[in-house]
Each structure stands twice: as structure tokens, then as C-alpha cells.
Amino acid sequence: MKEGDRLIESFWNICLLHDISTRDQLLREAIRVKRTQQLLEQQQLAETELMTEPEKLFQWMKERALDKELGHFPGDRDLFYKLYHAGKDMDLLEYAMLTIQQDRVTGSIVVHPGIVERFVDQCERHGCKNILFAEAEKYIKGLIETKCYHRPWTITLLTENYIVGRLFKTYFEPYSNIRIVQGSIYQPLPAEHQFDAILAMPNFGMKMNDDDVAVRESEGAAASYLLPLLQDGGRLSVTFPARMLFQSGAIASWRKKMNDQAPVQTIYSLPDGLFRPYTSIKTYQVDFGKVPVEEVILGRLHMEKSKLVGEREITIHPDRFRELDHWRIELLLDEDQDILRSFQQAATPKVKLRDVAEIFRGKSILKQDLKPGNIKVLNISNLDDGEVLLDQLETIDEEERKVKRYEILPGDLVMTCRGTVNKLAVFPEAQGMVIASSNMIVIRFKSAIKSHFAKMFLESPVGTALIQSFQRGTTVMNLNPADVAELELPLVPEDKQHELIEQYIREKERYKEVVREAMNRWEQVKSQLYEELY
């Protein structure tokens, strides 16, 4: 264990023994110790008898109004004396990073330093001089590793948390180029200062109550509120979850408005698991700019020796990008680009699933709910090779009326929405009621599209690529019914659909028969060979 980590652990242990245990409490007492040390050094008292007499040190701290600044000290002179000597040589920023990382109550995140390093490199390339880190506590590790505060920039650290703000002010007191501002990115911010570059990772999944903002999702609202702080020629770099890049409705309108106000410069998919355990969903880094753009760069970032490095980059003309109703860059980056392009440009009309089908997710069923009963449950394991294994369904004991909304009817298209592999099947005739589990999405077509035809299309290379582009998860699939509803299918005449379906079923049966015959022949040959062994 490094000496710095040992000091931090010792400080934590003293705090925890005295019921100082929440994140803000642990940060507050570290700030109190470091502020006391700073004031002692300013008055050249750091080596005096104050260091050996608990009562004098305690009273000196209280006389300097640190109780007013940080709140009442939760202990006596002996506790403060112990904390002071345990914490005076700690690195306060390292302490804050580790304390926030260990916090499991507030769900705080310490962003991978590769995000900050890449942002800092961009700032250097574009000659930035005035930089803002929004919710700066998320970027502490990156600040530590890049030491960007040593560069000739004016850096503003914005935080909503008073204690974090006090910690930054304490640590960065010797740095005249660092400004600490308290404020929330989820409401309008005063535009008294404008910046060449802004870095933000808004909290995911919060809903805003502000009627003045174009979108109620916290990620979009935060980006909208930060945009006025960007000066002409500046860039705003934001980390978004996947749904912000493809969801329709208000989010689609927000995307268009953002691109009009500050055209998208780059979109990169981030490596899987970069923000675990905070989140495992797919994430993207999107850069907006108040600057003319000649081409939009799309790509993937992968981890290479702790650095984020670009791969599979392509460019797209801003006019073409502006015409997109989504930012699903996988469709543009996919190696099957020619197949996807031919589908998108084909003369065949297309229809969205939501316009021709009812779509719903199954019921959440716990393991202990599975017991002998009258209601059968369809789960991922009951789908194999495009078919439903009816004889393997488990059951629950429940009243039919309570689970009627999750019932699967013959002819419904069922699709897995979790797991590692996407599976599809058309549900056959079955005895009794069968409901879908929450790992399944049920698609019930009303008109125009037949279930078997939709299954064929969604199993195709184009359909598979389209489904993957709506993925919210990374290594583990996570599809949302609202997203699946945005999938486009070719609108083929019903007689043509029927013809394709019949051919598909006929050829699949022929394939299965050949396989059965081959397996039977192989078993017979093996038996004959084995008999000749003895």
C-alpha cells in the first residue's frame, strides 16, 4: 500500500470509529484539517507548540471560524488532534477521489481519466484558454492524472455540492488560474462567464420539471443549459446514454435544436464498461461546437494502455447529418454498410413497428414465484432456433385477470430484450394461458405486416444491425419496447409476404428433415462401428 493510501485509510478509520461516515461528513472533516493547516502555515505557526497540545490546537481552529465555514465539529479536542495529525499530510484531492469512489449511497461516479485526457488534448489542439468542468467532482481522477491545472488556462470547476466546492477551494487555493463556482447544470446558469471548452457527464435518467426546457431528460436539459456558456468558436463535449441518440418525440426535437444551435462536430461510442459500476449501458461522447463544421466525424473509441484511442472513424457531410432523424452511428459505422445503405435507399416503402403493431414487455417474475400453477411463462430459455419450446414452460400460480395484459396470443412475434443473444419466434397455438416474462418483448401486428415476415426481416443482416443500433446495454443486451417501436420494416404487399413466408417455412422444414436424416444415419453408423470393437 502506498504511503498516501495508508494516510487516507488511517483518517477514514478514525472517522468511522466516531460515526463520521457519510461522504460529505468524511470530506468535511478532511477539509477542516487542511484549512487549519493552511491557516497555521500562513501565520507561520505550523511548527509551534500548537502541534503537541490538543486543547490549544482545538481552540485555535474554533477561533478561526472554521465551525461557521464547515459546521460544528462532531467531537472533542482529542478527536480533532488525532484527525489533524492523521490527515495533515494527505493529498486532499486523492482523498476526495477515493472517498467519492467508495460512496455507495449517493451513487456518485468518478469518470475514467481517459475522458479528461482526451478533452485536455482537444483543448490544446484548438488553443483553448478558458475551460469549464461541469460537476467537477466526477472528473477528480482525470484532474489528478492530467495535472491540467498546471497549464496556462483559466479553469472553472462547477459543482452543486457545497462541501465539494469548499474542498476544491481549499485544495486549489494556491492556484490563481482556478475558479470554483457553485451551481447546478439542471437549471439555467448565469452566463457572466463564457468558455472555449466545456466537459460534462450529466446524471442519467432523471426527469426535469422545468417547462421552459425542450426536453425533460436530465442529459438533454443539462446540455441545453450549458450551451449558452459556450462562446463563439467553443466546443461542448457531453457524455450521453444511447437512448439520447435515437429516441423519437421530444428527444428527437431536442437533437435537431442542439445541432442547429451548435452543430455536432464528433460522435464517438465509448468502450463497454467504461463507467462501471455506475452504469453498464452504452455511452457516447458527443462534441457540439459554435463553429462552422465541414465534416462530422463518427467513430468508436477503444482502450489502449488506459488511453482512449479512436478506431473505425468515418466522416459525413453536415448536410447529410442534418437530415438524419437519429444519431445511431452504428448504422453508419457498421461493416455491413453497403447492405444497410441499400435497404435505406431502396424504393420499397418502409413502416415503423409502432404504426402497425402493439408492443409490450412481459411481467417481472421472481424465481420464488415459479411454482405449479395454471399460468405458463415464456422466458429466454424457451426459444431455440427460432421456435418456442412449449413443453419446457414453467408456471406460476396466479389469477388470470391479474396477468391478462401480459398474455401471448398465437401469431404474436416474441423477441428477447435481455441476455447475450437476440432471439425471435412466432408464437404457436398453445393450451392454456401463456404470459411473457420481463426478458421478452411481445409484438402483436394489427395490419400490413405478418409476424413471420417481420421475423424473417429482423433475423436478416439488415434487421440484426437495426436491432443492435437500438441497444442500450453493452455486453448484456438491453432493448426497450419504446425503442423497438422505432424499427423500420419494408412494407411489402401481403401476397408477396405470404409467398416469402411459405418458401421460408418450406425450406426450413426441408433443412430440418435433412439434419434429422443425417443424425439418424450417424447414430446407426456409430452403433455398427462400436459393435465391431468387441
Side-chain angles (χ1 to χ4, degrees):
M1 184 184 291
K2 295 188 299 185
E3 179 60 25
D5 292 344
R6 191 176 290 110
L7 291 171
I8 290 170
E9 189 166 320
S10 175
F11 191 88
W12 277 343
N13 288 338
I14 296 170
C15 287
L16 295 173
L17 284 171
H18 292 82
D19 293 326
I20 301 169
S21 57
T22 69
R23 185 193 74 172
D24 282 2
Q25 287 173 340
L26 291 167
L27 295 178
R28 179 186 286 113
E29 297 319 316
I31 299 166
R32 196 189 307 271
V33 164
K34 300 304 275 190
R35 285 290 295 135
T36 301
Q37 183 187 36
Q38 283 177 348
L39 294 170
L40 285 167
E41 288 176 348
Q42 287 168 11
Q43 298 185 28
Q44 299 182 333
L45 297 172
E47 303 300 327
T48 66
E49 63 181 10
L50 285 170
M51 298 302 94
T52 58
E53 296 191 26
E55 181 62 32
K56 287 185 178 180
L57 181 65
F58 185 60
Q59 290 304 324
W60 195 91
M61 178 271 292
K62 294 180 78 65
E63 288 166 8
R64 295 313 177 274
L66 290 187
D67 274 4
K68 184 177 180 181
E69 181 181 330
L70 295 168
H72 177 69
F73 178 69
D76 57 15
R77 62 183 186 182
D78 292 327
L79 176 57
F80 182 72
Y81 186 78
K82 285 179 189 175
L83 287 175
Y84 182 83
H85 285 281
K88 65 185 179 68
D89 295 323
M90 291 189 312
D91 182 289
L92 187 58
L93 212 55
E94 290 266 6
Y95 174 87
M97 178 191 75
L98 293 172
T99 301
I100 291 172
Q101 274 185 330
Q102 295 297 321
D103 179 36
R104 292 290 178 266
V105 177
T106 62
S108 300
I109 178 176
V110 174
V111 173
H112 191 281
I115 296 285
V116 176
E117 185 176 8
R118 186 170 174 276
F119 177 71
V120 167
D121 289 345
Q122 287 177 336
C123 290
E124 281 192 333
R125 284 200 306 274
H126 295 107
C128 299
K129 295 180 181 178
N130 200 353
I131 296 163
L132 170 68
F133 287 91
E135 297 185 316
E137 57 268 33
K138 294 177 178 177
Y139 299 106
I140 286 181
K141 193 168 186 179
L143 293 172
I144 290 170
E145 295 200 9
T146 63
K147 298 288 191 292
C148 58
Y149 45 86
H150 288 307
R151 299 171 192 252
W153 300 334
T154 298
I155 297 177
T156 299
L157 304 178
L158 175 69
T159 180
E160 189 174 1
N161 185 286
Y162 172 78
I163 293 299
V164 172
R166 296 308 311 171
L167 185 141
F168 283 147
K169 285 183 178 179
T170 300
Y171 185 85
F172 290 109
E173 187 179 56
Y175 298 88
S176 59
N177 64 320
I178 305 296
R179 295 174 60 249
I180 314 301
V181 175
Q182 191 169 353
S184 170
I185 64 173
Y186 308 105
Q187 58 190 34
L189 291 154
E192 57 195 52
H193 295 283
Q194 289 194 312
F195 304 92
D196 299 317
I198 301 173
L199 181 63
M201 182 183 176
N203 294 330
F204 294 171
M206 288 169 44
K207 289 287 186 182
M208 314 303 296
N209 295 319
D210 189 350
D211 292 330
D212 295 329
V213 72
V215 66
R216 292 192 179 277
E217 278 67 18
S218 51
E219 307 93 330
S224 297
Y225 288 139
L226 287 168
L227 206 54
L229 305 186
L230 204 61
Q231 61 187 21
D232 290 342
R235 293 168 72 100
L236 167 63
S237 185
V238 188
T239 306
F240 288 117
R243 62 188 170 79
M244 297 302 294
L245 274 64
F246 59 68
Q247 212 161 298
S248 60
I251 292 179
S253 301
W254 165 84
R255 282 195 301 270
K256 184 179 185 306
K257 186 175 180 182
M258 285 291 292
N259 193 51
D260 290 342
Q261 294 177 331
V264 170
Q265 312 286 308
T266 64
I267 302 179
Y268 282 92
S269 64
L270 295 170
D272 291 357
L274 189 67
F275 300 113
R276 288 193 185 118
Y278 175 71
T279 181
S280 294
I281 63 176
K282 285 174 68 174
T283 51
Y284 297 80
Q285 197 70 24
V286 182
D287 283 14
F288 305 91
K290 287 190 176 179
V291 57
V293 56
E294 295 181 359
E295 56 185 20
V296 182
I297 301 173
L298 311 175
R300 299 187 182 104
L301 295 176
H302 73 281
M303 195 64 65
E304 195 172 285
K305 294 182 179 177
S306 79
K307 289 176 69 75
L308 288 173
V309 179
E311 64 175 2
R312 183 76 182 119
E313 293 179 345
I314 65 168
T315 60
I316 178 173
H317 193 277
D319 291 343
R320 186 184 168 208
F321 183 81
R322 199 175 295 114
E323 291 172 357
L324 300 175
D325 60 358
H326 58 76
W327 297 348
R328 286 184 284 156
I329 65 171
E330 280 78 9
L331 294 183
L332 300 168
L333 293 171
D334 199 283
E335 283 72 12
D336 295 324
Q337 180 64 205
D338 292 340
I339 301 174
L340 284 166
R341 190 181 293 115
S342 65
F343 168 69
Q344 291 165 341
Q345 295 177 355
T348 305
K350 300 168 185 65
V351 63
K352 289 192 175 182
L353 265 179
R354 60 178 161 83
D355 295 328
V356 293
E358 175 190 351
I359 304 165
F360 61 91
R361 190 177 215 150
K363 176 178 171 56
S364 177
I365 296 172
L366 302 176
K367 205 165 187 178
Q368 57 263 35
D369 295 333
L370 296 171
K371 61 183 72 170
N374 57 323
I375 308 295
K376 297 173 184 176
V377 180
L378 181 71
N379 214 323
I380 296 173
S381 59
N382 306 128
L383 301 188
D384 183 55
D385 193 25
E387 297 183 3
V388 178
L389 307 178
L390 289 173
D391 58 337
Q392 296 183 14
L393 300 180
E394 295 188 273
T395 61
I396 59 171
D397 186 19
E398 186 58 270
E399 294 179 41
E400 288 191 7
R401 62 180 181 82
K402 291 185 178 180
V403 293
K404 188 71 176 173
R405 57 178 294 201
Y406 305 107
E407 184 180 13
I408 312 172
L409 301 179
D412 287 346
L413 179 61
V414 291
M415 171 194 291
T416 55
C417 57
R418 290 180 182 155
T420 55
V421 179
N422 185 245
K423 298 180 179 182
L424 294 142
V426 175
F427 196 75
E429 292 284 347
Q431 289 188 338
M433 178 183 278
V434 182
I435 64 169
S437 76
S438 59
N439 295 322
M440 310 294 298
I441 289 175
V442 180
I443 304 170
R444 182 169 299 153
F445 290 95
K446 296 177 285 188
S447 62
I449 301 290
K450 296 182 179 296
S451 297
H452 281 284
F453 176 78
K455 174 179 175 290
M456 288 168 57
F457 173 75
L458 294 174
E459 287 176 339
S460 73
V462 170
T464 300
L466 289 170
I467 290 172
Q468 288 174 347
S469 72
F470 283 109
Q471 282 262 45
R472 296 189 181 202
T474 52
T475 50
V476 176
M477 179 176 60
N478 183 8
L479 289 170
N480 187 287
D483 300 338
V484 171
E486 298 299 314
L487 277 167
E488 286 188 323
L489 277 67
L491 189 55
V492 175
E494 288 196 29
D495 57 344
K496 179 64 174 176
Q497 290 184 50
H498 188 69
E499 179 185 327
L500 292 169
I501 291 167
E502 282 195 332
Q503 184 179 356
Y504 180 93
I505 293 173
R506 184 170 60 247
E507 292 302 322
K508 186 170 182 181
E509 280 303 318
R510 183 177 296 175
Y511 161 77
K512 287 163 65 175
E513 181 59 33
V514 169
V515 171
R516 279 194 296 269
E517 289 177 359
M519 288 179 65
N520 290 337
R521 177 175 171 77
W522 174 232
E523 290 300 325
Q524 290 171 7
V525 170
K526 280 198 300 183
S527 297
Q528 290 171 6
L529 291 171
Y530 293 156
E531 287 175 4
E532 294 181 21
L533 293 176
Y534 45 85

